[in-house]
Amino acid sequence: MLPGLVALHQIPQETPLAPITFEKSLESVRSLYPHSQILTGVPDVLNHQLTYRYRIRTPGGHLRHVYIATATGRILANQPLTNPSSASSTAQYPTSLKAKAIQIASQAVGGGQVATVRTMSEDHGKTYIVELMLTNGQYAKIHVNPQLSEILSVQLDTGDH
């Protein structure tokens, strides 16, 4: 996925009676973080206000949540996300390529439960495909090259099909 793009299945239905559309709020996030990758954008509630919540990954690899009020278009919160697995020293220094691939994939989407991990046979096991179930119920499929500590692609799926 290209930086700043949201897949069509990720675009939420417009929140009823919201003066600020999803597209307008998306423009705000893109202008605030022009070189970041927008991972998700969903309607949410923060402090009893309807919002659009975006999960973004900055060029430095840091994850953030940005909440935009649907009534005013104002940014209500801009919070860095911490990865609970990075707190332990064993998670920071994985001993195998598989463990490193899982760590990189988990950091890419802000954590989740590992569903499957497999390698691609066409590149002799250099690329790992890590599937995670996220806390919001979506599934993420992350292609990782752990030898280069590189994320090749991130695909999100609601798991409805």
Side-chain angles (χ1 to χ4, degrees):
M1 190 179 298
L2 297 174
L5 292 182
V6 176
L8 289 178
H9 72 274
Q10 292 176 272
I11 297 177
Q13 295 292 328
E14 292 298 331
T15 305
L17 305 174
I20 303 300
T21 64
F22 177 76
E23 286 79 15
K24 282 276 200 200
S25 66
L26 185 58
E27 287 174 22
S28 296
V29 172
R30 285 184 175 149
S31 66
L32 183 63
Y33 292 99
H35 301 291
S36 294
Q37 182 179 21
I38 298 173
L39 300 174
T40 59
V42 294
D44 202 351
V45 176
L46 179 70
N47 300 330
H48 307 291
Q49 292 185 36
L50 288 175
T51 64
Y52 293 113
R53 176 177 45 91
Y54 293 93
R55 179 182 293 187
I56 64 167
R57 182 176 41 242
T58 64
H62 300 286
L63 296 172
R64 301 189 74 78
H65 271 166
V66 179
Y67 293 85
I68 297 180
T70 60
T72 62
R74 204 182 88 197
I75 295 173
L76 298 177
N78 188 343
Q79 306 167 334
L81 297 176
T82 57
N83 185 359
S85 66
S86 66
S88 70
S89 60
T90 56
Q92 290 180 345
Y93 304 104
T95 56
S96 70
L97 286 178
K98 180 178 178 181
K100 187 174 181 181
I102 292 170
Q103 177 195 10
I104 292 168
S106 181
Q107 288 175 347
V109 295
Q113 184 171 347
V114 176
T116 61
V117 179
R118 61 185 192 274
T119 60
M120 292 196 49
S121 59
E122 60 208 35
D123 63 1
H124 307 291
K126 293 179 186 172
T127 301
Y128 281 76
I129 302 167
V130 180
E131 292 185 36
L132 298 171
M133 186 173 80
L134 307 178
T135 56
N136 64 3
Q138 287 186 319
Y139 284 88
K141 184 187 289 186
I142 303 101
H143 292 247
V144 177
N145 182 338
Q147 294 170 328
L148 300 176
S149 297
E150 181 178 58
I151 299 167
L152 303 173
S153 70
V154 176
Q155 299 169 332
L156 297 176
D157 185 15
T158 58
D160 292 337
H161 49 273

